[in-house]
Amino acid sequence: MSAISATDRAARGFRALLRPEAWTALVRAGARRQYAAGQRLFRQGDESGWLLVLVAGRVRVTYAERGGDELLLAVRGPGDLLGEFSGRDAAPRSATIQALEACTAYALAQDRFAELVRQHRLHRELDRYVMAKVRQSAAHTWRLAHQPTSARLASLLLDVMRTAGADDPQPERIPMSQAELAGSLGLARSSVASTLADWRRASWVETGRAHVVVLDIAAVEREATRV
């Protein structure tokens, strides 16, 4: 089993692009908020005007047409900004964000965030961060369109692991049920259950009532490259 190192997980998100004092300033300027597993941080279509600086826990970002099923857009974790897109055009929230586990974030008004970006000269870093999210979205769309079920599932498990905080004692534990994994990928639950059953027999994963533990990361990484 190859490990997802704490170093790899620490150097991620908007935090990885900033000087330590700039990140600290963002956190200190916000109002601390706690979210329980399953709780929604934002709802698609809600009015915007503020964003979150995520410092602990992982979340999933989903999109749904009116009356339709949700589809996963991304997984975010400590070091990420949530809701910063809406500050650029004042449009309603374009996605729903839900906690996969207990999360801690700091809420900032968009105006206050813009002031801090100016004060600490973070325009270039913010542009780089937003563009990285756009590129990630393009890669995710390609996987949904072209990869087989097993590769899509493997990619999702890796995404969740890699967004864990550096102090997470078990990043290989995926806090999602089989139904949640299937819904996130737009797949039938039976298809995901069958794939995970094969992986259990191969000792790649263990499954629980509402979680999956990846035992063989190298095998899952290989599976994620299939086309």
Side-chain angles (χ1 to χ4, degrees):
M1 168 177 152
S2 63
I4 301 291
S5 74
T7 300
D8 290 341
R9 289 182 279 121
R12 63 167 311 281
F14 192 48
R15 182 177 186 176
L17 302 176
L18 305 188
R19 302 178 305 279
E21 60 269 22
W23 177 257
T24 299
L26 289 178
V27 171
R28 287 180 175 173
R32 182 183 174 94
R33 294 190 178 182
Q34 301 286 130
Y35 298 92
Q39 187 174 354
R40 285 181 170 83
L41 288 67
F42 296 140
R43 290 180 184 271
Q44 184 179 329
D46 282 355
E47 294 300 317
S48 56
W50 55 280
L51 58 83
L52 290 171
V53 180
L54 186 61
V55 299
R58 290 168 287 186
V59 302
R60 61 176 178 176
V61 184
T62 59
Y63 174 83
E65 289 291 340
R66 187 181 298 275
D69 294 330
E70 288 186 338
L71 186 65
L72 182 77
L73 300 179
V75 179
R76 304 294 180 204
D80 275 314
L81 300 178
L82 307 175
E84 79 282 4
F85 279 21
S86 295
R88 299 196 161 202
D89 58 10
R93 302 290 185 196
S94 59
T96 293
I97 299 181
Q98 184 178 25
L100 290 174
E101 57 198 348
C103 292
T104 302
Y106 288 81
L108 274 169
Q110 292 286 359
D111 289 347
R112 178 59 174 144
F113 176 69
E115 178 185 336
L116 289 167
V117 169
R118 289 192 299 271
Q119 180 181 340
H120 292 274
R121 300 179 180 178
L122 304 179
H123 298 89
R124 181 177 299 178
E125 289 82 358
L126 182 58
D127 285 344
R128 285 177 58 193
Y129 178 67
V130 170
M131 286 306 302
K133 281 188 170 182
V134 172
R135 292 191 181 97
Q136 290 170 4
S137 178
H140 177 69
T141 300
W142 184 90
R143 290 197 298 266
L144 290 179
H146 297 288
Q147 284 191 311
T149 295
S150 60
R152 289 159 61 182
L153 179 57
S155 292
L156 175 55
L157 298 185
L158 292 172
D159 284 347
V160 177
M161 284 191 288
R162 288 167 179 161
T163 55
D167 58 351
D168 191 317
Q170 195 180 13
E172 295 85 7
R173 186 181 187 278
I174 311 302
M176 300 175 71
S177 67
Q178 294 184 26
E180 289 173 329
L181 290 168
S184 294
L185 296 170
L187 298 169
R189 185 184 183 283
S190 59
S191 179
V192 168
S194 176
T195 298
L196 289 174
D198 290 340
W199 291 0
R200 278 198 307 271
R201 286 190 287 270
S203 298
W204 290 10
V205 301
E206 290 179 349
T207 57
R209 180 173 174 271
H211 69 272
V212 175
V213 178
V214 178
L215 303 176
D216 192 336
I217 297 174
V220 174
E221 288 176 333
R222 289 192 298 271
E223 192 65 22
T225 64
R226 288 185 57 197
V227 293

